[in-house]
Amino acid sequence: MALKSTLKTRVSTKPLVSYPEDVTSEKSDHYVRFDVNVPSASEVKFGSTKAYATEPQGGAAQFSTTSVPRAPTKKVDQSIVLYMPANLEVSHKANYGEPEIGLIAASALGALKGFGGAGFNIGSILEKGKAEINNAGLGMLEGIGVSGVKAAVQIQQGKITNNRTEMAFESVDRRSFSFTFKMLPKSSSEAAAIEEIVNTFRFHSMPEFAGGDGTGRTMIVPSTFNITYRPNIHLHHIGECALESVNVKYGGERPQFFVDHQPVETEMTLQFKELDLVTKEKIAEGF
């Protein structure tokens, strides 16, 4: 049976779909909440159309690094709540390169620094960079097929010219977040909730064809997610994310099923990436 036809009959109307069923009770007061933002242009519905809020999705004004306004979205009324994983991680990565700084460039920088005093002496700069100019000429000869000229000169002189490198900041990677949930239902209702949770993440991680019939060439982008730790007093916040991958494994050491054919164990791994870059301003806001 096609997935589209089964989803409509298995989507509940509860405001929260959770695993375990008592995850939000006093017994388990720490959990992760996932809210889904669907593109306003989306036409393929997951279950009832009443599951979508009518107003556009939007939160409190925060510092943002995005330069292009994104297409509007609408928030799904139903949220997914899962138990808090054993380990939560956050990492930041700043990228640095090591560009070569030639002697001419270094001399020019020094001349510019002292421009108000001694003046900008192009002759002095070229004199200091004579070896670099010679190397450039030898490199041009090799470029037109005269191979080995530069190496031969260096061997004869017993010297080589090696430009120094300097550390230079280049960019910031977007943060990624990975969550793995192992779900073992204790009742038929919990098994149905697990199935709905898995199908919800799978459904919203994928794009759709405009028109909803799969015959066009234009695609509507996948949904995005807001992830919240509850309660979050000392942990980092997570910005709006794209769901890059959903990996689902059924069964433990071997496939096992209940009498109603529900799997006795489901393991789901979700890989998210933030849409926004994290900078000092965002960290100051708690991200």
Side-chain angles (χ1 to χ4, degrees):
M1 185 178 291
L3 179 63
K4 187 175 179 181
S5 62
T6 60
L7 291 178
K8 291 184 178 180
T9 61
R10 295 182 181 177
V11 173
S12 67
T13 58
K14 296 179 181 179
L16 294 177
V17 182
S18 62
Y19 174 83
E21 289 180 318
D22 61 350
V23 69
T24 58
S25 68
E26 295 180 357
K27 298 179 182 179
S28 177
D29 56 354
H30 289 81
Y31 53 89
V32 186
R33 174 171 173 157
F34 299 88
D35 292 292
V36 186
N37 309 309
V38 179
S40 295
S42 177
E43 299 176 11
V44 179
K45 305 301 181 185
F46 183 81
S48 171
T49 56
K50 294 181 180 179
Y52 297 87
T54 56
E55 61 275 355
Q57 167 66 3
Q62 297 171 333
F63 176 85
S64 176
T65 62
T66 56
S67 56
V68 178
R70 305 186 72 87
T73 59
K74 48 193 175 185
K75 182 179 177 296
V76 176
D77 282 344
Q78 192 178 69
S79 300
I80 295 174
V81 176
L82 296 169
Y83 66 89
M84 187 74 77
N87 297 292
L88 300 174
E89 297 184 10
V90 60
S91 61
H92 308 270
K93 188 174 186 302
N95 299 311
Y96 287 83
E98 297 185 33
E100 290 188 353
I101 308 298
L103 185 57
I104 293 179
S107 300
L109 184 63
L112 289 172
K113 186 176 180 180
F115 184 73
F120 189 86
N121 189 334
I122 188 64
S124 174
I125 293 172
L126 294 178
E127 180 63 29
K128 290 181 179 180
K130 185 181 295 184
E132 191 170 324
I133 295 172
N134 289 337
N135 281 331
L138 295 175
M140 291 176 63
L141 288 175
E142 292 201 0
I144 60 175
V146 186
S147 60
V149 175
K150 184 176 180 179
V153 172
Q154 291 175 344
I155 291 171
Q156 185 181 41
Q157 295 179 346
K159 300 177 182 178
I160 64 169
T161 300
N162 183 21
N163 288 330
R164 297 183 180 182
T165 61
E166 298 289 343
M167 287 283 287
F169 172 76
E170 292 181 344
S171 63
V172 174
D173 285 354
R174 283 176 167 79
R175 297 191 303 182
S176 294
F177 298 91
S178 181
F179 300 94
T180 297
F181 300 98
K182 185 174 291 187
M183 298 173 282
L184 296 87
K186 300 183 294 292
S187 64
S188 59
S189 60
E190 205 166 66
I194 292 172
E195 182 181 6
E196 182 176 350
I197 288 168
V198 169
N199 284 335
T200 298
F201 281 113
R202 291 180 56 227
F203 179 86
H204 287 289
S205 69
M206 291 290 102
E208 66 184 84
F209 282 106
D213 55 4
T215 60
R217 294 181 178 231
T218 301
M219 297 189 105
I220 298 172
V221 298
S223 305
T224 60
F225 292 79
N226 291 109
I227 306 169
T228 311
Y229 299 138
R230 298 290 181 92
N232 188 355
I233 300 174
H234 302 291
L235 298 175
H236 55 277
H237 298 300
I238 300 177
E240 188 175 357
C241 290
L243 179 52
E244 291 189 300
S245 67
V246 181
N247 185 35
V248 184
K249 298 179 182 179
Y250 296 105
E253 296 180 357
R254 60 185 177 85
Q256 301 180 72
F257 300 89
F258 292 110
V259 293
D260 62 353
H261 309 299
Q262 287 280 12
V264 300
E265 180 179 331
T266 302
E267 182 178 295
M268 177 178 64
T269 300
L270 308 171
Q271 183 70 41
F272 294 92
K273 181 171 284 188
E274 275 184 320
L275 303 181
D276 218 349
L277 293 173
V278 170
T279 59
K280 290 179 179 177
E281 293 88 348
K282 296 289 287 185
I283 293 176
E285 291 181 352
F287 287 83

